[in-house]
Structure formats: structure tokens, C-alpha cells
Amino acid sequence: MVLKGRPPVSAVVITYNEEGNIQRCLESLHWVDEIVLVDSESKDKTVEIAREFTDRIFSRRWPGSFSSQRNFGMAQAKGDWVLILDADERVTPEAQKEISTWLKSLEAMSYAAAQVPRRNFFFGKWLRFGEAYPDLQWRLLKKGKVCYDEQTSDTALIDGPCKLLSEPFDHFTGDGIADRIRKSWRDADYKAKEMLVAKRNAHWSDILFRPVATFIKIYLIKQGFRDGMEGYLYSALASFYTFIRYVKLWVLARG
């Protein structure tokens, strides 16, 4: 059975210096009832561009984790459901249709959250192997039924049953190798700080062996080689990210 209308949906987007991505991201959210943008004191034109799409913009100093920013954003949302989106992601027309149709169904009323697959584009190519797809993400959350664990990244604490949707979002990982390295450096810094808070430590064996293990897992075991040169570069950069993450954790743990 289908209801007459879907419940209100609020989109929550976390940003920091995303002037190159934010317009296309917010354009893909034209169908939601509200856009809440939580900006971590960007130094570029991110907020200026975002004002063309929403007046629900909150400037909040980076608290140390995406989870904390997302919890804050969800607390500001007015909709019955919250759609989480990163600035470098887009909601495809197919995903929009699936979400809207599902939310109108009686089935959706008994669920607390839904996972969405994500297509990762690397140097313009959709990566189908090496753990790059389906890359399931918690993106559609019922207000009051879900929060993020602020000690970890993207760990959703869900009070109720979950749905797996089939239509993917698109994720654009950067326009070039420099963008990828900058993003890896930034994300490794965030992750190392989260690991430190969780009382994790880094030993010489982590720094030496984990990057190699990451490359073998993604490129060979998960068949990243089937994506050609893009698959090789994706695997190599994932290995680099692992190396930087544990080096940063080692440095932080030493004070």
C-alpha cells in the first residue's frame, strides 16, 4: 500500500572548503523539503554558494569527527527523515525516485534507517571492484531513531530495523592525483585523532605491514586489478592513506 504523500525529508550536508563540489551536491537535493548545511568554518566560497540553495546554514568549529557534526546537523533538521550527504556526493534521479517511492509505502513506517550503495568515480571512471562498489553507506535515517557514535567515523547507532536500497548515489573522489593526496592526508588526520580518542596506538608493525596488506586486499583479493590503471592507482592510494593514518597516530600518541 502507498500513502498519499511522503513524509518530510531534511538533507544534512557537512562541509569544509568544498566550493568545487557544493553546487552540484545541493542541486541534486532539489526534491527534499529542507537542506541543513553544517560548515566547519570554510575559508573559500562554500557558504556563499550554499546560500543560493538554503538559509539553514550553521557555522560550527570542527569538533574532531564527522559523526559529531552529523549528530549536530540531525538535531537541527525538522523533517521526519534525514538524508545524509557528503559534499562530493550526488543523489541520482534513480535514487531520488526510489527513496521517494519507498518513503510513501507503509513498509517504511516500520524502519529506522536505510543503507544506500555508492558508485565511486576515480579519474572519471566508475570503479566496480576492489571494495569500491557497492560501498554501502548509512544515508537515510529516521529522526530520533539514529545517531552516530562520536568515537568512530560513520558508525550509526540504530534503534530499529534497516532497509537496503538498490539505486546508488554517485561519489566523486577528486579531479586529480593532487586532490586525492590532499583528501587522503586530511582524512588520515581525522581518523588518527579518532583512533587516539579511542585509545588506539600505532606500532612499527602497523606502519610497516598494514599499508602492504591494504594494497594486497584491494588490488588482488578484491580484484581491483579488473578496473585497469584506475584500479591500480586507487589501491596504491588506499595503501598510502593507511600508511599516513598510522604514522599520524604514532606521532599523536607520542604527544
Side-chain angles (χ1 to χ4, degrees):
M1 182 176 178
V2 177
L3 304 177
K4 289 185 178 180
R6 65 162 174 77
V9 176
S10 297
V12 171
V13 183
I14 309 302
T15 59
Y16 177 69
N17 289 348
E18 292 286 358
E19 65 180 8
N21 287 313
I22 194 60
Q23 179 168 337
R24 284 169 292 176
C25 169
L26 298 183
E27 285 174 345
S28 76
L29 294 170
H30 64 88
W31 54 280
V32 303
D33 301 280
E34 173 194 43
I35 297 174
V36 175
L37 188 135
V38 183
D39 183 74
S40 303
E41 301 180 337
S42 291
K43 304 299 189 295
D44 62 4
K45 295 182 180 179
T46 298
V47 173
E48 179 181 336
I49 296 169
R51 287 199 181 102
E52 300 176 13
F53 299 88
T54 180
D55 58 359
R56 300 275 290 152
I57 298 175
F58 300 86
S59 179
R60 187 172 188 251
R61 185 183 298 275
W62 180 252
S65 72
F66 283 103
S67 296
S68 178
Q69 289 292 70
R70 286 174 176 168
N71 284 339
F72 175 83
M74 287 194 293
Q76 315 312 312
K78 300 176 182 177
D80 296 339
W81 286 83
V82 178
L83 181 71
I84 301 292
L85 199 67
D86 290 342
D88 56 2
E89 294 176 339
R90 318 281 183 267
V91 180
T92 63
E94 297 79 10
Q96 171 196 335
K97 181 178 179 180
E98 181 183 25
I99 290 170
S100 295
T101 300
W102 182 67
L103 288 179
K104 291 178 184 178
S105 69
L106 285 177
E107 178 194 54
M109 297 177 66
S110 62
Y111 281 81
Q115 277 188 306
V116 178
R118 188 169 69 168
R119 293 187 298 198
N120 289 291
F121 287 83
F122 187 71
F123 286 95
K125 180 176 181 177
W126 171 23
L127 300 182
R128 292 168 169 81
F129 303 98
E131 289 191 331
Y133 188 80
D135 191 22
L136 298 176
Q137 304 288 319
W138 294 109
R139 286 293 184 259
L140 189 61
L141 315 174
K142 183 176 286 187
K143 183 80 180 286
K145 291 291 185 179
V146 183
C147 69
Y148 283 92
D149 181 353
E150 298 194 5
Q151 301 301 317
T152 61
S153 290
D154 292 329
T155 300
L157 306 176
I158 303 167
D159 181 18
C162 305
K163 174 75 173 179
L164 176 60
L165 299 177
S166 59
E167 295 294 342
F169 289 0
D170 286 343
H171 179 216
F172 297 90
T173 59
D175 295 328
I177 193 69
D179 286 341
R180 286 296 305 164
I181 290 175
R182 279 194 295 269
K183 188 175 188 300
S184 294
W185 193 271
R186 182 192 67 188
D187 291 350
D189 192 54
Y190 294 157
K191 187 62 178 179
K193 290 176 181 176
E194 289 178 1
M195 293 169 72
L196 184 69
V197 170
K199 302 189 184 305
R200 294 282 302 278
N201 204 345
H203 302 283
W204 68 268
S205 56
D206 295 313
I207 297 172
L208 181 62
F209 294 117
R210 285 185 184 272
V212 177
T214 296
F215 182 84
I216 292 173
K217 178 184 177 182
I218 295 176
Y219 190 68
L220 297 177
I221 298 175
K222 298 295 183 179
Q223 302 183 37
F225 61 85
R226 297 179 65 181
D227 281 318
M229 178 57 75
E230 290 87 354
Y232 172 77
L233 293 175
Y234 180 83
S235 304
L237 285 171
S239 175
F240 170 74
Y241 165 75
T242 302
F243 172 74
I244 293 299
R245 188 177 76 210
Y246 279 93
V247 169
K248 284 178 174 287
L249 177 59
W250 180 76
V251 171
L252 290 171
R254 296 183 69 193

